[in-house]
């Protein structure tokens, strides 16, 4: 039989999962593998449907266990037999213990940053007349004179391509600048960061920060202050989460 | 402006999207042991970045992801407007 697997820890006792119900409403329990233990529940199905109940159940168990110990959460949908799980733990024990040491006493906090101007551009692409006119005006202001000024279709294409390439480069630099500014703003408050820069997406920067539990409120205050500094940006903060982004096994 | 920073409530729809974002994309992976079903089609992760599935299923999931990001963006813009009122 395969188990649904939620997380691993090196300080788990049965009391840590007392009363917790997991995916499919199944009771959650602990299986020990030497120094480490896994939080699991029984599951008859061959796969796990990506539906809100299951997603919330997965996270609720991980959050519940996190409240009582240090954990490394598994990705949603992890199903393994006890022997496969034992094999995985044995093969990675040193890296798992090291990863637990890195996240001990911490939670994950999330920050997503979006640019307001991109929202307008996206609305234009979606067909909003008001926003479309704003984008057209912006393009005219930046020297997009192809078409009406009598240049040929090939030239117009190359001009558009040049604008696209230069625009992408500028967006990338802008996104990296925002990421750097955020990193500097939260420095001293985060133990580790995992940052993705997406210059061409609606989301410019997606950051996960590993923050000591005792400093979560201080961290939130700092992010609020940063939001106040850059009125051209939208901030979406979330957390505390189990350290989903910090379970990387090194070495 | 402080009201440009949005924090999520546990039961908020937006928090479900954030949960989706965290639990589907991150966390420990045992190669070949992550089996999720989207619209009754099984998808199997082989490693951190390798996913087996039909082209149709993968396209559908990627399309959902784009719509999710778009929804997230629109929701945050709406929340911003509400905050200013």
């Amino acid at each position: 039989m395969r188990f649904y697997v939620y997380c691993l820890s090196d300080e788990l006792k049965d009391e840590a999962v007392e009363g917790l119900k997991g995916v499919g409403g199944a009771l959650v329990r602990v299986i020990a593998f030497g120094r480490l233990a896994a939080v699991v529940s029984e599951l008859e199905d061959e796969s796990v449907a990506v539906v809100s109940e299951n997603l919330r159940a997965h996270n609720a168990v991980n959050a519940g266990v996190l409240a009582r110990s240090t954990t490394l959460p598994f990705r949603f949908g992890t199903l393994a037999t006890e022997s496969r799980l034992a094999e995985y733990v044995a093969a990675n024990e040193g890296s798992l213990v090291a990863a637990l040491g890195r996240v001990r006493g911490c939670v994950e906090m999330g920050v997503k940053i979006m640019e307001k101007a991109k929202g307008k551009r996206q609305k234009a692409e979606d067909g909003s007349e008001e926003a479309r006119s704003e984008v057209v005006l912006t393009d005219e202001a930046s020297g997009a004179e192809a078409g009406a000024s009598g240049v040929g279709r090939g030239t117009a294409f190359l001009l558009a391509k040049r604008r696209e390439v230069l625009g992408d480069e500028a967006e990338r630099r802008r996104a990296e600048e925002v990421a750097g500014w955020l990193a500097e703003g939260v420095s001293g408050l985060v133990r580790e960061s995992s940052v993705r820069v997406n210059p061409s997406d609606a989301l410019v920067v997606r950051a996960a920060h590993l923050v000591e539990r005792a400093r979560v409120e201080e961290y939130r205050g700092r992010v609020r202050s940063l939001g106040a500094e850059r009125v051209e940006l939208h901030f979406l903060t979330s957390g505390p989460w189990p350290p989903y982004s910090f379970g990387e096994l090194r070495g | 402006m402080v009201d440009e920073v949005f924090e999520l409530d546990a039961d908020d729809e937006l928090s479900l999207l954030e949960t989706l974002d965290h639990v589907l994309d991150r966390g420990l992976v045992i190669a070949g042991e992550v089996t999720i079903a989207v619209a009754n089609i099984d998808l199997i992760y082989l490693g951190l970045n390798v996913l087996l599935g039909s082209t149709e299923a993968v396209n559908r999931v990627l399309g959902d992801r784009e719509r999710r990001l778009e929804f997230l963006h629109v929701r945050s813009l709406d929340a911003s407007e509400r905050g200013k009122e």
Side-chain angles (χ1 to χ4, degrees), chain B residues 9-53:
Chain B
D9 297 326
D11 298 325
D12 196 282
E13 195 174 357
L14 200 51
S15 87
L16 177 61
L17 293 171
E18 279 293 292
T19 303
L20 187 69
D21 204 24
H22 278 81
V23 306
L24 269 190
D25 197 25
R26 314 175 204 185
L28 296 175
V29 173
I30 305 177
E33 304 292 350
V34 175
T35 309
I36 58 172
V38 178
N40 296 324
I41 299 171
D42 288 353
L43 304 169
I44 301 170
Y45 282 96
L46 283 181
L48 278 173
N49 296 309
V50 182
L51 176 68
L52 283 184

Side-chain angles (χ1 to χ4, degrees), chain A residues 86-95:
Chain A
E87 186 185 312
Y88 171 80
V89 171
N92 298 286
E93 189 171 343
S95 304

Side-chain angles (χ1 to χ4, degrees), chain A residues 3-14 16-17 27-41 61-62 65 69-74 78 80-82 84-86 88-89 96 100, chain B residues 28 30:
Chain A
F3 290 106
Y4 188 97
V5 192
Y6 300 90
C7 57
L8 281 174
S9 177
D10 57 356
E11 51 189 37
L12 267 182
K13 292 177 182 157
D14 288 336
V17 300
L27 275 177
V28 170
R29 65 187 172 100
V30 174
I31 304 180
F33 299 100
R35 280 192 290 171
L36 300 173
V39 175
V40 304
S41 63
V61 170
N62 277 323
V65 179
S69 58
T70 297
T71 66
L72 291 176
F74 278 94
T78 301
T81 60
E82 187 169 346
R84 180 73 180 98
L85 201 47
Y88 171 80
V89 171
L96 289 165
L100 282 163
Chain B
L28 296 175
I30 305 177

